[in-house]
Amino acid sequence: MIKDDLKKILVSEKEIVERCEQLGKQLDKDIATMKSPVLFVGILKGSVPFMAELIKHIDSDIEMDFMAVSSYSGTESVGDIKIIKDLDHSIKGRDLVLVEDIVDTGTTIKELKKLLYNKGAHEIKVVTLLDKPSRRKVDIEADYTGFEVENEFVVGFGLDYNQRYRNLPYIGVLKEELY
Ligand code: 5GP
């Protein structure tokens, strides 16, 4: 079983659900001042479980779309990003909530925000399940953060290691011998 590959659990399923409830309430308040319906944009594939849990706790009228991106420059994420799967609909003049699994160096959300503003978005808020502030390379913060984590590679609740472990219902760290 995949849970046997974990060295430790950092954030439990219960903690994630409770935090999504709080984030949903907070978002609901702010969405009230944004252009309805706000479009929730999930970044594939890591954001899928978080998006699914988060939207259960939002009462406002929202829409949902997904996009997939990759960095141009190999292992360390720097510079531009490439769109692998674009949004299905135009975002001209729309207010968006960008839903991310984790903000690490910050490059992905910085470049994505730039790209989505270039495509005509009116206002963009970023919500991330996890944040690793110690790894930041560019000056950017999410507007809403689930949990801060230490500088450790984490898996579960959407986050993968070589495409595996996304289906764990919590966030954990793998045993060293598996990396
Ligand atoms: P950034 O552009 O902020 O450096 O990177 C964001 C992306 O890197 C995340 O969306 C995620 O795919 C990946 N990433 C960063 N840290 C981790 C981690 O600890 N675990 C996993 N599974 N992915 C990570």
Side-chain angles (χ1 to χ4, degrees):
M1 289 206 283
I2 56 170
K3 70 175 179 9
D4 300 327
D5 291 353
L6 291 184
K7 180 171 78 176
K8 60 180 172 187
I9 293 176
L10 287 182
V11 190
S12 72
E13 189 172 4
K14 184 166 175 280
E15 287 172 315
I16 295 173
V17 173
E18 283 172 3
R19 190 74 184 111
C20 285
E21 202 177 330
Q22 293 169 346
L23 289 172
K25 281 196 182 126
Q26 227 181 314
L27 273 160
D28 254 338
K29 256 194 234 154
D30 297 353
I31 284 172
T33 66
M34 295 168 83
K35 271 200 222 166
S36 183
V38 169
L39 183 66
F40 276 55
V41 173
I43 310 308
L44 295 170
K45 307 171 181 120
S47 74
V48 171
F50 178 44
M51 172 78 99
E53 187 56 48
L54 184 65
I55 60 167
K56 287 188 213 166
H57 308 286
I58 290 175
D59 296 324
S60 311
D61 185 23
I62 61 159
E63 290 179 8
M64 188 166 63
D65 205 346
F66 289 94
M67 65 191 295
V69 297
S70 79
S71 71
Y72 274 116
S73 31
T75 48
E76 283 295 301
S77 48
V78 282
D80 268 13
I81 49 168
K82 178 167 62 172
I83 299 179
I84 308 294
K85 183 223 169 280
D86 208 345
L87 296 169
D88 289 341
H89 301 103
S90 163
I91 53 166
K92 211 159 247 147
R94 295 205 57 177
D95 284 354
L96 313 182
V97 173
L98 204 54
V99 182
E100 254 290 27
D101 52 359
I102 186 165
V103 179
D104 185 35
T105 64
T107 313
T108 307
I109 55 163
K110 184 166 189 190
E111 295 294 322
L112 256 176
K113 276 178 89 170
K114 204 158 67 181
L115 191 146
L116 295 169
Y117 275 123
N118 281 338
K119 279 171 168 281
H122 171 254
E123 186 182 353
I124 304 172
K125 298 276 188 205
V126 177
V127 57
T128 183
L129 175 63
L130 303 175
D131 185 17
K132 262 193 215 172
S134 61
R135 290 260 306 163
R136 202 72 88 252
K137 283 192 186 149
V138 295
D139 185 25
I140 195 148
E141 295 302 330
D143 300 285
Y144 311 88
T145 298
F147 303 92
E148 279 191 8
V149 290
E150 300 295 315
N151 186 10
E152 273 183 307
F153 191 83
V154 295
V155 297
F157 211 77
L159 290 122
D160 73 309
Y161 177 59
N162 289 338
Q163 298 304 324
R164 296 168 59 212
Y165 305 106
R166 293 192 197 275
N167 55 319
L168 281 170
Y170 37 70
I171 306 286
V173 179
L174 291 176
K175 291 175 179 162
E176 267 109 35
E177 62 264 31
L178 292 164
Y179 290 112

